[in-house]
Amino acid sequence: MDVVYVEIEITSSLSASKVFKVYTYFDIIAPKINPESYKTITVIKSDGGVGSIRA
């Protein structure tokens, strides 16, 4: 298993709450949008908030 840390700053017309909602479903959305990069994403420990662990 690899550990990846990414920090990106993006300007968006969406509200912060909508962007965070998309991020909380990243494990479902990413494999559908970019299957070449993401085969599966497993949620190890998560309540959907800050500090959630995904692999």
Side-chain angles (χ1 to χ4, degrees):
M1 179 172 67
D2 295 331
V3 176
V4 178
Y5 174 80
V6 178
E7 185 174 326
I8 301 171
E9 188 171 326
I10 300 171
T11 303
S12 175
S13 61
L14 297 173
S15 67
S17 62
K18 286 185 181 181
V19 172
F20 185 75
K21 188 173 182 178
V22 169
Y23 174 74
T24 58
Y25 294 109
F26 185 78
D27 56 320
I28 298 167
I29 296 170
K32 293 178 181 180
I33 293 174
N34 193 354
E36 299 84 24
S37 297
Y38 301 100
K39 181 177 178 185
T40 60
I41 298 175
T42 304
V43 178
I44 296 173
K45 180 179 178 182
S46 174
D47 62 357
V50 175
S52 297
I53 301 171
R54 295 179 171 93

